Amino acid sequence: MERRINKKVFSFVLWGIVFLGAFFVGMNIHYSDGDDAFFYQYSHSMGFLEYLKWRYESWTGRLSAEALLYLTFRCGIWFWRVINAFVLTVLPVSLLFLADKARQRETGTGMQEEEGSLWLKPEYCLLALSGYLFMNVRTLGYAGIWITGSVNYTWCILCLACALFPAADRVFLPRRFRKSQFVYAIPCAAAAAMSVEQTGAVLIAFLLLALGYLLFREHKTEPLLLVQTILSILLFTAMFAAPGNELRVQTAIETCMPQFETLSFGDHLFLTVQWLISSFGNENVLFLAGIWITGGVLIRQNGSQRQTGRHQAIFAAFPVPIVVFTLSALLSCFGAGLFSDMGIRLSEMTGMTEEIFRMSDMTGQNLFAMLWWTAALLFTFALLWYATGRSALILLTYLGSIAAEAILYFSPTIYSSGERVFFLTDIMLLFVLLCLYGRIADRKRRYGVLCILLVLGGVHFLYQIPEVLAMI
């Protein structure tokens, strides 16, 4: 009992340190001359409803994000510093809550059986927080520390996670499900649905999956969950119906990618695929490495439990590609162009893109890197398939992390939006990693994996310190 209390105290202290650290970072952040200055000016010169009406008609349908931006700049920078520190602390906690619900449902099928919430277990706290270390610093900086970016991405993604709590309970832990959860879940769903399109699409996808599961397994649905889903779809549709969207898209085309409307389908598809694959070979690569390492340990655990020759042969085939892909991921993390250079450097493409990269422009090395990481993504799906016993939750979350980027096919700002658009993908990959880690039954193996991942995350962050200093 005393040991359990000590672990809880350590966890509370850890989360407190995270909040104070995020708050300290926020104290060194000030309004930028671009978007921050714009929102500050109009939030102080217009009324709330007047501002939302103006933005909906002349620029964007993301009314929930716009409302949060108005509130943030109206209340001042100290308001943002406190709330953003809170959000950066609570976001990994929310992932642990969701992973805990899946863990309790799957107890007895390979996941460890221990009492207590995951967010009060030091090892899980450290693993969840390591997600920030796995991220490219530009992804974390523009999505979590830049004032405008943090509201659009980190705050709204937290709303997305909270909106899924009752759906997760209803699917995984029906005995713990309480209708009162929708008091906060429906407003959170509304906030997520009318924020960045990636966030709204992921929310609706998981709500529909929850409804489909209930209809398939129980031949009934949950009325309030249905209401939440319908409301989210309506708000998501209303966002796209905003009169200002056309103006915003045309302006984005003129200032970011003038060739956007004249691209052939093939060129447009290649542009998107190249950009997407490049993100997994560069900005998101350490998350894949973490999944391979953790999945490899889980494969070894499962392989020792299955005695048939067929299963033994399948599980014996995984170690070599895990080692090879992980080594290539580490090389990519530390700048080895052979595996990472696909012709895209987002840090140099924030302005107008005058020339579109086409298939004919690919060098042999670019093509090799692109094919390599395509194979890595396919291998990851196979690894998750066998390591989790075809867990629908983990497989769909992994596919969702890819789809969250594929949505940018429709955006002329695919390059100029920068690395912040990878933030949601990283959060979903972190959730997959947490679920995999929780399935490792042996405590020593878990601790070994944790140490490896923490070292990788720490070294990755230290390697990027020069870029952090350049951004300050």
Side-chain angles (χ1 to χ4, degrees), residues 91 128 252 274 289 292 331 347 363 379 456:
L91 181 56
Q274 179 201 28
W292 296 331
L331 289 172
S347 60
T363 66
F379 169 75
L456 289 179

Side-chain angles (χ1 to χ4, degrees), residues 363-378:
T363 66
Q365 182 272 319
N366 293 151
L367 184 60
F368 168 78
M370 192 168 171
L371 292 175
W372 181 267
W373 289 107
T374 300
L377 291 177
L378 294 173

Side-chain angles (χ1 to χ4, degrees), residues 207-223:
L207 290 177
L208 288 174
L209 287 170
L211 285 174
Y213 174 87
L214 294 176
L215 286 172
F216 179 74
R217 291 294 184 185
E218 302 179 13
H219 306 292
K220 64 179 180 180
T221 188
E222 182 62 45

Side-chain angles (χ1 to χ4, degrees), residues 56 60-62 193-198 200-201 204 233-246 248 407 410:
Y56 189 78
T60 181
R62 301 171 181 170
M194 296 194 80
S195 62
V196 177
E197 290 79 2
Q198 291 173 297
I204 292 171
I233 293 173
L234 290 175
L235 292 176
F236 192 67
T237 304
M239 178 178 67
F240 280 99
N245 286 336
E246 184 176 354
R248 177 167 59 90
I407 293 173
F410 302 99

Side-chain angles (χ1 to χ4, degrees), residues 43-278:
S43 66
H44 285 79
S45 62
M46 302 178 73
F48 179 67
L49 295 179
E50 177 189 11
Y51 170 82
L52 291 183
K53 181 175 183 293
W54 169 62
R55 293 291 284 175
Y56 189 78
E57 293 178 347
S58 64
W59 192 249
T60 181
R62 301 171 181 170
L63 289 189
S64 60
E66 292 291 325
L68 289 172
L69 285 167
Y70 183 94
L71 175 65
T72 299
F73 286 94
R74 186 81 176 194
C75 292
I77 196 167
W78 283 100
F79 170 84
W80 173 82
R81 287 168 176 165
V82 173
I83 299 301
N84 197 58
F86 174 79
V87 171
L88 286 171
T89 304
V90 174
L91 181 56
V93 174
S94 69
L95 296 182
L96 289 174
F97 268 106
L98 289 171
D100 198 27
K101 297 175 190 301
R103 175 184 73 98
Q104 294 180 59
R105 169 63 180 267
E106 298 185 21
T107 293
T109 60
M111 300 192 78
Q112 56 165 322
E113 297 189 42
E114 295 182 11
E115 295 181 359
S117 299
L118 295 186
W119 73 282
L120 292 176
K121 295 178 183 293
E123 58 178 304
Y124 285 93
C125 298
L126 291 171
L127 182 58
L129 289 170
S130 70
Y132 289 139
L133 300 178
F134 290 176
M135 291 182 187
N136 180 279
V137 292
R138 295 175 66 87
T139 300
L140 180 59
Y142 287 122
I145 299 174
W146 173 37
I147 299 176
T148 298
S150 65
V151 175
N152 275 289
Y153 288 88
T154 310
W155 295 22
C156 291
I157 290 172
L158 176 60
C159 290
L160 161 65
C162 294
L164 293 175
F165 285 172
D169 273 342
R170 184 64 183 82
V171 170
F172 296 124
L173 302 169
R175 292 183 179 180
R176 292 193 180 183
F177 172 74
R178 298 291 182 272
K179 294 182 183 296
S180 58
Q181 292 175 290
F182 287 101
V183 172
Y184 67 83
I186 289 179
C188 284
M194 296 194 80
S195 62
V196 177
E197 290 79 2
Q198 291 173 297
T199 307
V202 169
L203 168 70
I204 292 171
F206 277 104
L207 290 177
L208 288 174
L209 287 170
L211 285 174
Y213 174 87
L214 294 176
L215 286 172
F216 179 74
R217 291 294 184 185
E218 302 179 13
H219 306 292
K220 64 179 180 180
T221 188
E222 182 62 45
L224 287 176
L225 181 60
L226 181 61
V227 169
Q228 183 189 29
T229 306
I230 293 174
L231 176 63
S232 299
I233 293 173
L234 290 175
L235 292 176
F236 192 67
T237 304
M239 178 178 67
F240 280 99
N245 286 336
E246 184 176 354
L247 174 62
R248 177 167 59 90
V249 171
Q250 287 302 318
T251 301
I253 291 174
E254 294 171 5
T255 59
C256 299
M257 191 178 289
Q259 312 93 324
F260 185 79
E261 291 184 305
T262 59
L263 285 173
S264 67
F265 173 77
D267 285 339
H268 196 166
L269 180 63
F270 173 76
L271 178 153
T272 306
V273 171
Q274 179 201 28
W275 170 83
L276 187 152
I277 299 297
S278 177

Side-chain angles (χ1 to χ4, degrees), residues 230-349:
I230 293 174
L231 176 63
S232 299
I233 293 173
L234 290 175
L235 292 176
F236 192 67
T237 304
M239 178 178 67
F240 280 99
N245 286 336
E246 184 176 354
L247 174 62
R248 177 167 59 90
V249 171
Q250 287 302 318
T251 301
I253 291 174
E254 294 171 5
T255 59
C256 299
M257 191 178 289
Q259 312 93 324
F260 185 79
E261 291 184 305
T262 59
L263 285 173
S264 67
F265 173 77
D267 285 339
H268 196 166
L269 180 63
F270 173 76
L271 178 153
T272 306
V273 171
Q274 179 201 28
W275 170 83
L276 187 152
I277 299 297
S278 177
S279 75
F280 282 94
N282 290 278
E283 289 83 5
N284 310 328
V285 69
L286 202 57
F287 286 94
L288 290 182
I291 288 172
W292 296 331
I293 292 170
T294 310
V297 173
L298 194 55
I299 284 282
R300 182 178 178 85
Q301 171 184 291
N302 295 345
S304 64
Q305 296 171 352
R306 302 192 180 186
Q307 303 302 320
T308 65
R310 175 176 174 271
H311 282 110
Q312 290 287 355
I314 291 174
F315 287 119
F318 277 97
V320 172
I322 287 174
V323 171
V324 172
F325 279 126
T326 300
L327 288 175
S328 70
L330 297 180
L331 289 172
S332 294
C333 276
F334 302 112
L338 175 64
F339 293 101
S340 61
D341 185 4
M342 294 171 227
I344 298 176
R345 293 178 179 83
L346 287 184
S347 60
E348 303 172 3
M349 304 174 72

